[in-house]
Amino acid sequence: MSVHAYELLQILDISAFDSELPGDDLFQQVIEKASRLLGVQKLILSLDNPVLASCNGCWGFMWHEDPFAVIEHSKPNSYLHRFTNAPGYLYLEQKEPVSIQKQRLYTIFARSLEDALTRKEIKESLLLSERKYRDILANMQEGYYEIDIAGRIVFCNQSLYELLGYGSSELAGINMLSLCVERRRVFRIFRTVWEKKSSRKINTIKMRRKDGSILYAEASIRLIKDSGGVITGFCGLVRDITERIDYQQRLEFLSMHDVLTGVYNRSYFEEYIAKEIEAHAYPISLLVADLDGLKIINDSMGHHCGDQLLRSFAQILSDCVGENGVIARLGGDEFGVILPNYGRRRTANLVETVRNAIDHYNQDNPTLPLSISLGHATASDGSTTLTELYKRADDNMLHDKLYRSASMKSEIVKILTAALAERDYITHGHAARIEKICIAIAKKLGLSETQQADLALLAQVHDLGKVGIPDSILNKRGRLSEAEIKVMRQHPEKGYRIATASPHLAGIARLILCHHERWDGKGYPLGLAGTEIPVGCRILAIADA
């Protein structure tokens, strides 16, 4: 072999470093080549780069020698090469002085090593960056996915597994669309991103968890391209927004529905009747209903009983109307029903169905019955607006209420009086004994027959307001607390409000209000004293003593 060929092979061997080797192995390769090919006896490789820290080292020095002190003083048998691409150097030392030929080989050796270290740094930096990227993806709260062009999942982070309820690696290879409820819609979104070559930041999609439950997700979609710019797949973030969507739906529901009954509210009803009705909805009817005596129930039995009546009637309407109309609560005790494609006869049949349902309800609930005033009106074409139709139905309802009002209020008072008789001491002859004593006193005082009749009625119903007092207070055997006494002392006012609503009791309403007043002014609720107290109340107090 010629000298030139040998030198060429030696140069090729000197310059061949494997940058794929781990740092320690690469350093051993440097030692092996330097000692075998160049006769190096001492070597230092120092790199001020965290990525290449595993490549650092020194070789050939005795235990008492300071390897890093030698570079401060140049020697004929040493060679020092400082790297240009990064802070660091390579120190080589041989036995004899370094010749010009050897220095040339050392330079080739050092520069080849520097090139290999540069390649290794780039690769290690990329790997480190990828590891950090993967760590960030693994620890982020949002789910992250990567899918190929066919939609198969090639990578996803732990958050996405937890979001969908899958175990590790269970999603690998699964088609992304199989996790979506609206597959066609999601496919169109991905296709649009692919066709327009642009990402989409926000897409709200419904996804199905492993257990079958549904979640709302906010997903971003970004294209993945190879080094040649060819699209190879998609990636993006997935955030669970189920709670937010539920809250928005709840707000939307509350904006259109009555909280107590669950039917539509007045705002929705007014928007509906204000808009133009399509021709196919005619004939259209409008039904208006009002609960009779709701104020009496609220004042005597409490608002919880009144609320129960409202909920019960709303349920009756919902059962009778179904999906054929729009039911709304228009006010405290008023309901409205819009009935598309309902003529007069069909509407009349519906009213009869509602009244029959109310009768059945009252049979099952005799202590808290429903009484409803109903009115309806029908329009055969668009010549009558829904606003006008509502006014006609409301007028018809008021006419029905006037016809029923007095008799129904009296019936409610009778029911309340009967309920009180079941709860309190009016039974066992107590009221009859008080009435007998009151009449005897009235006759002795020379009161008129009208006053005697009022006094007899007062003896029977003076405690009517107790129907609104809880049983826990009314039937308590021990001493009442201050709070309980305060509740108990409300019954004269409750009785007064009930009496004013009944034509039969209106004449003694004030006597019911004042029947717990005392001569010394320490009674309740008005604190009247002496002759300010009606005579009938004074007589009742004596008879009841």
Side-chain angles (χ1 to χ4, degrees):
M1 182 183 295
S2 65
V3 175
H4 293 294
Y6 176 77
E7 289 181 352
L8 181 59
L9 290 175
Q10 187 182 32
I11 290 172
L12 290 174
D13 196 359
I14 287 173
S15 60
F17 290 100
D18 187 359
S19 60
E20 300 292 329
L21 291 173
D24 293 341
D25 293 344
L26 180 59
F27 181 67
Q28 292 300 321
Q29 187 181 54
V30 172
I31 295 173
E32 189 274 330
K33 287 180 178 291
S35 59
R36 176 172 59 84
L37 299 174
L38 301 175
V40 172
Q41 295 181 337
K42 295 180 180 180
L43 181 148
I44 302 175
L45 179 58
S46 177
L47 301 165
D48 190 13
N49 188 330
V51 177
L52 300 175
S54 60
C55 300
N56 287 332
C58 56
W59 172 78
F61 291 90
M62 300 296 289
W63 65 270
H64 60 276
E65 292 182 290
D66 181 4
F68 300 103
V70 298
I71 65 170
E72 298 178 0
H73 306 287
S74 177
K75 294 190 292 185
N77 62 334
S78 66
Y79 173 85
L80 180 65
H81 177 84
R82 296 191 180 275
F83 299 123
T84 56
N85 294 334
Y89 61 88
L90 172 67
Y91 175 82
L92 302 172
E93 185 178 317
Q94 63 182 31
K95 187 176 182 180
E96 300 86 8
V98 179
S99 63
I100 295 176
Q101 177 66 20
K102 204 63 170 292
Q103 189 172 12
R104 186 171 67 88
L105 292 176
Y106 278 174
T107 301
I108 294 172
F109 180 84
R111 289 178 177 175
S112 299
L113 176 59
E114 184 174 7
D115 290 341
L117 291 171
T118 300
R119 293 194 302 273
K120 186 172 183 62
E121 180 187 7
I122 293 172
K123 181 181 178 181
E124 293 292 335
S125 296
L126 288 174
L127 290 174
L128 181 62
S129 176
E130 184 176 354
R131 282 196 295 270
K132 289 181 178 179
Y133 176 66
R134 294 296 183 187
D135 288 342
I136 291 172
L137 291 177
N139 294 311
M140 67 191 309
Q141 292 184 348
E142 293 86 356
Y144 174 81
Y145 70 91
E146 291 179 5
I147 61 176
D148 60 20
I149 203 68
R152 293 183 295 267
I153 297 175
V154 295
F155 172 81
C156 61
N157 65 356
Q158 185 62 32
S159 293
L160 189 61
Y161 281 111
E162 294 173 358
L163 192 68
L164 298 175
Y166 286 86
S168 297
S169 76
E170 284 186 336
L171 290 176
I174 291 180
N175 194 292
M176 185 77 166
L177 293 179
S178 67
L179 303 173
C180 301
V181 177
E182 303 165 310
R183 298 186 184 184
R184 291 183 180 274
R185 175 177 168 272
V186 175
F187 174 78
R188 288 195 295 268
I189 294 174
F190 276 94
R191 187 176 63 182
T192 301
V193 172
W194 181 78
E195 289 175 347
K196 294 185 176 182
K197 306 294 187 294
S198 61
S199 62
R200 290 188 61 168
K201 293 183 178 180
I202 299 177
N203 305 278
T204 301
I205 60 176
K206 292 168 67 175
M207 303 186 74
R208 184 176 287 105
R209 297 186 180 93
K210 186 178 180 180
D211 61 6
S213 60
I214 303 299
L215 69 88
Y216 288 89
E218 191 175 76
S220 63
I221 304 174
R222 192 161 52 88
L223 294 170
I224 299 176
K225 300 180 181 179
D226 62 15
S227 56
V230 178
I231 298 173
T232 60
F234 305 88
C235 66
L237 298 176
V238 178
R239 178 182 296 125
D240 186 359
I241 59 169
T242 304
E243 186 175 340
R244 189 177 81 191
I245 293 296
D246 289 344
Y247 182 70
Q248 290 175 348
Q249 291 177 343
R250 178 65 177 163
L251 286 179
E252 184 178 353
F253 179 87
L254 292 175
S255 69
M256 298 188 299
H257 291 77
D258 176 57
V259 178
L260 178 64
T261 61
V263 299
Y264 289 108
N265 59 19
R266 187 179 189 92
S267 296
Y268 182 85
F269 184 85
E270 290 179 344
E271 287 180 10
Y272 194 103
I273 65 174
K275 67 183 181 181
E276 185 176 352
I277 303 301
E278 297 179 1
H280 64 78
Y282 289 95
I284 189 169
S285 294
L286 209 150
L287 176 68
V288 176
D290 192 275
L291 271 70
D292 300 321
L294 181 64
K295 187 176 187 306
I296 299 176
I297 298 296
N298 285 335
D299 290 343
S300 58
M301 305 290 286
H303 283 274
H304 64 284
C305 291
D307 291 346
Q308 181 57 47
L309 285 176
L310 289 168
R311 283 192 291 264
S312 298
F313 181 59
Q315 187 60 53
I316 289 173
L317 283 179
S318 299
D319 292 340
C320 294
V321 175
E323 301 294 327
N324 298 319
V326 176
I327 305 169
R329 184 184 175 198
L330 307 182
D333 54 5
E334 186 178 358
F335 289 81
V337 185
I338 302 170
L339 300 163
N341 303 121
Y342 267 71
R344 289 181 176 83
R345 178 172 295 182
R346 191 180 181 191
T347 304
N349 291 336
L350 175 63
V351 170
E352 184 178 355
T353 301
V354 171
R355 290 208 181 278
N356 289 336
I358 292 171
D359 290 340
H360 284 110
Y361 174 86
N362 289 343
Q363 290 174 11
D364 296 334
N365 300 273
T367 59
L368 196 62
L370 269 172
S371 175
I372 307 296
S373 297
L374 290 169
H376 60 89
T378 302
S380 56
D381 53 45
S383 60
T384 302
T385 65
L386 283 186
T387 302
E388 294 171 337
L389 197 64
Y390 169 69
K391 290 178 66 176
R392 283 167 44 190
D394 191 53
D395 289 343
N396 292 335
M397 183 275 294
L398 291 174
H399 182 270
D400 187 48
K401 179 176 281 292
L402 289 173
Y403 174 76
R404 300 163 49 85
S405 180
S407 61
M408 188 55 211
K409 286 181 179 178
S410 297
E411 183 65 25
I412 291 174
V413 170
K414 288 180 182 178
I415 292 170
L416 295 177
T417 305
L420 178 62
E422 292 181 4
R423 300 173 63 198
D424 203 12
Y425 55 80
I426 287 180
T427 55
H428 308 298
H430 178 80
R433 288 193 297 272
I434 293 178
E435 180 183 355
K436 186 176 180 181
I437 297 171
C438 285
I439 295 301
I441 296 174
K443 288 180 177 180
K444 194 73 173 177
L445 294 175
L447 298 184
S448 67
E449 291 186 2
T450 301
Q451 289 175 306
Q452 291 181 36
D454 287 346
L455 194 55
L457 185 58
L458 178 65
Q460 292 289 337
V461 300
H462 63 277
D463 277 332
L464 181 60
K466 285 186 178 180
V467 75
I469 304 301
D471 287 336
S472 59
I473 296 177
L474 196 62
N475 299 325
K476 186 175 181 180
R477 296 193 177 189
R479 186 180 180 85
L480 297 180
S481 66
E482 290 296 325
E484 290 170 336
I485 291 174
K486 187 176 180 180
V487 173
M488 178 63 85
R489 287 186 173 183
Q490 293 174 1
H491 82 269
E493 298 173 75
K494 290 179 180 288
Y496 172 78
R497 287 194 291 268
I498 296 172
T500 56
S502 170
H504 302 294
L505 300 179
I508 63 167
R510 180 165 176 77
L511 298 180
I512 293 174
L513 177 66
C514 301
H515 79 275
H516 270 291
E517 301 294 342
R518 284 175 44 171
W519 187 262
D520 60 4
K522 294 182 179 180
Y524 61 89
L526 302 178
L528 301 180
T531 56
E532 293 176 332
I533 304 171
V535 173
C537 296
R538 285 180 263 165
I539 294 173
L540 179 67
I542 295 171
D544 198 24

